[in-house]
Amino acid sequence: MARVWGDYLRSQLCTTIPYPTHSFAGHTIIVTGANTGMGLEAARHFARLGAAKIILAVRDQAKGAAAKHAIETSTPGCGSEVVQVWALDLCSYASVAAFGERVDRELDRLDVVVANAGILPYGTETVGQDEATITVNVVNSLHHAVLMLPKLRHTAERLGKETVLTFTGSWTHGLVNVDWIKGYQKGGGGVFAELSRRAEKAVALDRYAVSKLIQLLAVRELATQVTTSGKPGSQRVVVSTVNPGGVKTDIDRGSTGLQRIMNRSAGWSLRATEVGGRTLVHGAQGGKATHGAYLDNCVVREPYQCVTSAAGVEAQRRVWEELVVKLTRINPAIVNAI
């Protein structure tokens, strides 16, 4: 754990994140959680870099409209038709399914999906079948992403180009021990049931770190599934996870009192929101070397041992198997989308 924190501080204090210059001319891009924070800044970069259509996938339509206005007024040449606001609530299985149907129905092409939305709640509210952190950061994040695959594959095949599905991950995955997953069957109910039990006693930051580890495991396996699916266009779909580092966002807006004071006191080490947005744009650039990869400071790196160890490999398999079963029960369309 000391190594993880040391890596974090060195990264935050000694690394310069490159300013995006890659062209996204003509691209259709979806950014979840785009009404604020890194998602908004990434969307602003995409507009500057020539994207033809940028869909802000947000829960709050009013905030989405404000974000659209902010992008248009700050980006020369960004017409009113470029940025669109679509409803997506990752707390709702139905909203995720409806968004997937809309993408299939209304979009002629889809070049990039930035799965950025996430939460760090300071409570143990149950949303859907799981604690809120797991529902939003893992279950519905993957639910939404998988539903984007058919359009990403179709675009790649029809246009003969690479398409990208990239997730906002976190360095905090390295703070988690995965050994407990080895014996999860003994407790009954599987990994997600055990996560729910552990959430009741875990502090918010611990739950967040666990959610980001489970997300990373699932995304790595999703990348493998995409590669081996054999469906037309699959070989041109790039799936990755981006670590933006510590960034000044409002993800901790649910914190109060002492917790908020502690969070704000750590602000000296955090990157500006715009800088965090750069890392998402870098992930969206794609490239075969980034498929299945963990991008740290815009460079492909190995994730921590909790992912790459034998226990991590086994955890990845079990998490994926359970997640597919869970998602299929939530939305049968998942089966054909993977």
Side-chain angles (χ1 to χ4, degrees):
M1 187 172 294
R3 177 199 164 192
V4 176
W5 281 106
D7 288 347
Y8 166 75
L9 289 174
R10 280 190 295 273
S11 171
Q12 294 294 109
L13 302 177
C14 304
T15 305
T16 299
I17 303 300
Y19 192 73
T21 58
H22 178 86
S23 174
F24 289 89
H27 285 38
T28 294
I29 301 172
I30 293 173
V31 185
T32 70
N35 63 285
T36 187
M38 293 187 296
L40 172 58
E41 295 303 329
R44 201 190 311 269
H45 279 301
F46 290 133
R48 176 180 60 80
L49 294 165
K53 184 179 295 183
I54 304 165
I55 296 171
L56 311 182
V58 300
R59 180 172 58 177
D60 189 314
Q61 295 292 282
K63 291 181 179 179
K68 168 181 166 67
H69 178 72
I71 293 170
E72 290 171 350
T73 55
S74 65
T75 310
C78 180
S80 60
E81 75 286 351
V82 173
V83 181
Q84 300 182 9
V85 180
W86 287 22
L88 176 64
D89 183 358
L90 291 183
C91 288
S92 165
Y93 302 143
S95 177
V96 174
F99 189 94
E101 292 169 0
R102 185 176 181 183
V103 165
D104 183 62
R105 183 175 63 249
E106 296 187 19
L107 294 186
D108 176 60
R109 64 186 284 176
L110 180 58
D111 301 85
V112 175
V113 176
V114 180
N116 167 70
I119 61 172
L120 197 171
Y122 287 81
T124 55
E125 178 186 4
T126 296
V127 174
Q129 300 170 4
D130 301 279
E131 187 272 324
T133 315
I134 297 299
T135 294
V136 173
N137 295 357
V138 181
V139 179
N140 266 343
S141 179
L142 271 295
H143 181 192
H144 169 262
V146 169
L147 293 179
M148 300 300 100
L149 284 176
K151 188 66 68 173
L152 288 167
R153 284 196 300 261
H154 176 72
T155 301
E157 180 71 5
R158 181 170 66 87
L159 301 181
K161 69 181 296 293
E162 187 179 272
T163 58
V164 177
L165 170 59
T166 186
F167 294 76
T168 299
S170 174
W171 62 276
T172 60
H173 76 270
L175 300 174
V176 184
N177 188 325
V178 298
D179 287 345
W180 61 268
I181 294 180
K182 293 179 182 179
Y184 79 96
Q185 290 177 320
K186 297 179 181 178
V191 172
F192 287 92
E194 180 66 15
L195 287 171
S196 293
R197 284 191 290 270
R198 287 170 174 260
E200 295 176 3
K201 296 182 179 180
V203 298
L205 290 175
D206 288 341
R207 289 201 311 273
Y208 179 79
V210 168
S211 77
K212 286 303 180 179
L213 170 62
I214 300 300
Q215 180 197 58
L216 179 56
L217 294 173
V219 173
R220 283 166 63 88
E221 186 60 32
L222 175 63
T224 298
Q225 296 295 321
V226 167
T227 299
T228 59
S229 72
K231 293 181 178 180
S234 290
Q235 295 299 316
R236 294 180 181 267
V237 178
V238 171
V239 181
S240 66
T241 300
V242 171
N243 167 35
V247 181
K248 294 178 182 177
T249 71
D250 63 352
I251 194 171
D252 68 340
R253 56 189 173 272
S255 64
T256 59
L258 179 60
Q259 185 63 59
R260 178 169 286 274
I261 293 172
M262 292 173 63
N263 292 351
R264 293 297 182 259
S265 68
W268 64 271
S269 70
L270 300 179
R271 290 172 175 159
T273 310
E274 182 274 323
V275 175
R278 297 180 193 181
T279 67
L280 307 190
V281 177
H282 176 266
Q285 293 177 198
K288 284 298 181 184
T290 70
H291 182 60
Y294 174 71
L295 302 174
D296 180 28
N297 290 326
C298 300
V299 176
V300 174
R301 301 190 195 280
E302 283 287 292
Y304 286 104
Q305 190 176 11
C306 54
V307 173
T308 59
S309 66
V313 172
E314 176 64 9
Q316 179 173 311
R317 181 186 67 81
R318 294 187 176 187
V319 164
W320 178 255
E321 289 175 355
E322 283 197 24
L323 184 60
V324 170
V325 170
K326 178 186 281 286
L327 291 178
T328 302
R329 289 173 179 166
I330 291 169
N331 184 357
I334 287 293
V335 174
N336 293 325
I338 297 175

